[in-house]
Each structure stands twice: as C-alpha cells, then as structure tokens.
Amino acid sequence: AWSWGGQPVSLLQPRSGRPPHTLKGQVGLTDGLAFLHDGTALVIFSAGNATVWHTESGQMLRVLWHSSLDERIRAARVFPDGRRLATLGVDGMTNIWNAFSGDLLLRLRSRGASAHLSLQILRDDALATGVTWAADPIVMWNANDGSVRRHLVHRPGLVIQRMEKSPCGTKLVTATEESLFLWCMVAERLERELPLAR
C-alpha cells in the first residue's frame, strides 16, 4: 500500500498479479498506514481521523474520529490481536478502538498537546506513550482498563529523541544524545544503558 503527494492510497496485490487497487473516496494527505488482522483491512490516518478500508473491495468500512478536524493524529498502531487500534493525537490523547465495530474502548491522556508524541504497542495488554525531544518519562499503560502501569524514568535532564519496540514487544529502546536505554517489558524495568560512541 502506498500514497504520494496527497494522492489516493493504492494497493498492490502481488499474489493475484492484479494492478494497483485505488481506494475509492480517500482524499487528502495521508500521515500513515497500518494493516489490521490478516491484511483484509487497512487503516489510513490523517487529520483528525482514521479510516478503515476493506483491502479486497477497496470500500471504506468505518471512520474513527480521534477528536476535532484540527487535531492531527500523530501515530496509529495495531494491537497483536489484529482488531484493536490505538491512535495518538497531537492533543496528547490516546484512543483505543475496536477498529471493526468502531467502538471507542478507552481514552488515555498522559500530558498536554505536543507535536512530538510517540506510541508503541507492547503486547495485547500494554502500550507505551512518550514525548520525543523532551525529558518526560515514558508512560506504560494497561490497555485493558486504562490505568498507568509504570513510569519509565531516565537519568534527570536526558532528552528522549526516539522510542522503538522489538518485534515481539518484550523490549523497548529509547534513544538520547548520550545513550541507548534498553527496557525489559516483561519485568518492566531498565535492563541496561548503552553509551553511544563519540
């Protein structure tokens, strides 16, 4: 799947050899894409909403409104169960959805608005939110009830530049100008700090 320069999203179906399939009615800039479940549905997120599309027919199934049209979605991530979706807006709000029914399951707020927010799904029952280019702690959330599981705190004054998870979701790495921090998500603690060579 791809989009370029505000053009509608096109789907290439390499198994069948069919030409790219263009999603009907999808307009405007696309900020990101994510496949749901077994690839039969695609989520496109942009200004204020995430749209769910059936990949075979190219029909839009649902619109998930994160907030107002003025609040861009910073990130969208799919849970391992393939059915739930988390959207993170620049308003600082994380919404957890059933992407197929359109039900809003949980709404989480970790801090105020920022254009430098990051979101990672760790496993079916946990997710992490953070602010890049800030010294704030990473917040681990219980994805079932919306409670805060833990704050992952770095050394005082360190500015987090990036946050990524391992494919299996058991590790989280945060990067600062000085070091990489490797977090164990099973024990929910810092495993090691790896200083960066200068």
Side-chain angles (χ1 to χ4, degrees):
W2 76 89
S3 176
W4 182 260
Q7 298 300 310
V9 171
S10 294
L11 294 173
L12 178 63
Q13 299 174 338
R15 287 188 197 171
S16 65
R18 281 183 281 173
H21 189 56
T22 300
L23 303 183
K24 304 173 182 68
Q26 191 274 323
V27 295
L29 291 174
T30 297
D31 291 336
L33 308 168
F35 281 100
L36 288 166
H37 199 41
D38 56 0
T40 58
L42 175 72
V43 176
I44 302 172
F45 62 97
S46 54
N49 69 67
T51 51
V52 183
W53 300 79
H54 188 261
T55 54
E56 288 296 322
S57 67
Q59 297 298 313
M60 184 169 63
L61 302 176
R62 197 162 304 284
V63 179
L64 309 175
W65 289 100
H66 181 83
S67 54
S68 71
L69 286 173
D70 297 328
E71 299 290 357
R72 295 198 77 83
I73 292 179
R74 183 74 178 89
R77 300 283 185 269
V78 178
F79 281 85
D81 62 18
R83 302 190 65 81
R84 286 179 301 156
L85 172 75
T87 59
L88 174 64
V90 296
D91 57 357
M93 192 75 72
T94 300
N95 291 338
I96 299 178
W97 309 83
N98 180 317
F100 291 94
S101 70
D103 292 335
L104 177 60
L105 305 176
L106 284 172
R107 178 165 279 188
L108 317 171
R109 179 181 287 281
S110 56
R111 57 156 289 146
S114 172
H116 301 287
L117 294 165
S118 185
L119 167 69
Q120 293 294 335
I121 304 296
L122 303 173
R123 50 187 186 267
D124 274 338
D125 66 343
L127 59 93
T129 60
V131 183
T132 54
W133 304 105
D136 295 358
I138 305 297
V139 181
M140 276 191 67
W141 301 87
N142 184 315
N144 294 325
D145 63 15
S147 62
V148 174
R149 297 173 67 106
R150 189 176 300 274
H151 289 87
L152 307 180
V153 181
H154 299 74
R155 285 190 282 110
L158 287 183
V159 174
I160 307 304
Q161 297 180 344
R162 193 170 178 86
M163 178 176 74
E164 295 290 341
K165 66 154 191 170
S166 65
C168 61
T170 60
K171 306 286 185 184
L172 185 75
V173 63
T174 51
T176 71
E177 192 174 82
E178 298 178 4
S179 302
L180 295 177
F181 292 83
L182 185 64
W183 305 85
C184 174
M185 295 293 93
V186 177
E188 299 180 1
R189 62 175 178 79
L190 179 64
E191 198 167 87
R192 68 181 62 133
E193 178 182 349
L194 306 172
L196 297 175
R198 291 185 175 272

